[in-house]
Amino acid sequence: MTSIWADEDLTRDAFLGGRVALLQPRRGYRAGTDPVLLAAAVEATPGQSVLELGCGAGAAMLCLAARVPDLDLCGVEIQPGYADLARRNAERNKARVAVHTADLRALPPEIKARRFDHVIANPPYFDRAHSRPAPDPAKETAFGAPLSLALWIDAMARRVAPLGRLTLIQRADRLPEIIAALHGRMGGLAVRPLVSRAGRDAERVIVTARQSGRAAFRLGAPLVLHEGDRHLSDAGDFTPEAEAILRHGEKLRI
């Protein structure tokens, strides 16, 4: 398949301190820290299977593959251009990943026939019933697709194997929707708030739940991403814990 982007329309970006090299479009949705944090939170072990819904250019899957070897990785992406980039990025990073171009409401038979040890996602952050669309179509699909968050969680939960885990990253103000969608369906619910700086409200949350899990709900201590109370220079200002996760590929404890 020929890429929809010319080489000059792509950037070559490094993640995890250079352990992951990613082709991304100069314009449109571009991966930042969220997929790296999502990958860091997945409690995968070598040999397990992982499905990512809405994988974009493959940042989360490839960061996970860099930390945990020998995973059976599958991605689903609705936008053909990004799905193509995910395949190219997997090849560039020598990762074994099967990427399917599909809508999560109509998953391909080979995905529907399987259950996975881990199902992960970074669902669109905005409910378009209460916000305006992004001007860029690629960003709109990534940040504000018309599908409800409940539908995303339903699609994820259906693919989780017995005792497997669902893990997602989302805006903190949508945590009630996530809990409602998982209530009575999955257990062992745990939440780790993500805070830009100490003393501020959480902006994101990472949520994990287990199929047939029985553990009590757990709300972890916030992960503070940046030192100080404001950004003072162009130099990096990540906290030691955030630096270890984002630059050195350490696991994020939930």
Side-chain angles (χ1 to χ4, degrees), residues 197 226 231-238 247:
R197 297 182 187 277
H226 298 281
H231 190 65
L232 296 175
S233 71
D234 291 335
D237 63 353
F238 288 121
R247 297 284 185 258

Side-chain angles (χ1 to χ4, degrees), residues 74 98-101 107-116 159:
C74 291
V99 180
H100 304 266
T101 307
L107 294 173
E110 55 266 48
I111 296 294
K112 293 178 72 173
R114 295 186 62 184
R115 298 291 185 272
F116 295 81
R159 304 271 64 81

Side-chain angles (χ1 to χ4, degrees), residues 4 17-18 20 22 28 42 85 89 94 162 166 174 190 196 251:
I4 67 170
V20 173
L22 206 72
V42 180
L85 278 182
N89 285 327
K94 297 180 173 57
L166 170 156
R174 304 195 74 183
S196 60
K251 188 180 183 304

Side-chain angles (χ1 to χ4, degrees), residues 148-155 157 166 168 174-186 189 209:
S148 70
L149 184 53
L151 193 152
W152 274 83
I153 292 172
D154 175 71
L166 170 156
L168 62 87
R174 304 195 74 183
L175 182 58
E177 294 177 69
I178 298 170
I179 293 174
L182 291 171
H183 181 69
R185 185 165 193 176
M186 299 185 74
L189 186 65

Side-chain angles (χ1 to χ4, degrees), residues 155-228:
M156 294 176 72
R158 288 177 182 271
R159 304 271 64 81
V160 180
L163 301 181
R165 287 189 176 274
L166 170 156
T167 305
L168 62 87
I169 185 169
Q170 184 54 239
R171 284 172 47 189
D173 62 358
R174 304 195 74 183
L175 182 58
E177 294 177 69
I178 298 170
I179 293 174
L182 291 171
H183 181 69
R185 185 165 193 176
M186 299 185 74
L189 186 65
V191 178
R192 184 86 189 265
L194 305 175
V195 179
S196 60
R197 297 182 187 277
R200 297 189 184 180
D201 290 345
E203 298 168 354
R204 305 279 191 268
V205 288
I206 294 179
V207 180
T208 184
R210 190 166 189 172
Q211 195 71 273
S212 305
R214 296 179 180 274
F217 172 79
R218 183 160 49 84
L219 178 63
L223 170 62
V224 180
L225 297 175
H226 298 281
E227 299 272 21

Side-chain angles (χ1 to χ4, degrees), residues 124-133 140 143-149 170-171 173-174 177:
Y125 282 160
F126 299 100
D127 179 353
R128 285 309 183 214
H130 302 96
S131 61
R132 289 184 293 182
E140 172 58 19
F143 290 126
L147 305 183
S148 70
L149 184 53
Q170 184 54 239
R171 284 172 47 189
D173 62 358
R174 304 195 74 183
E177 294 177 69

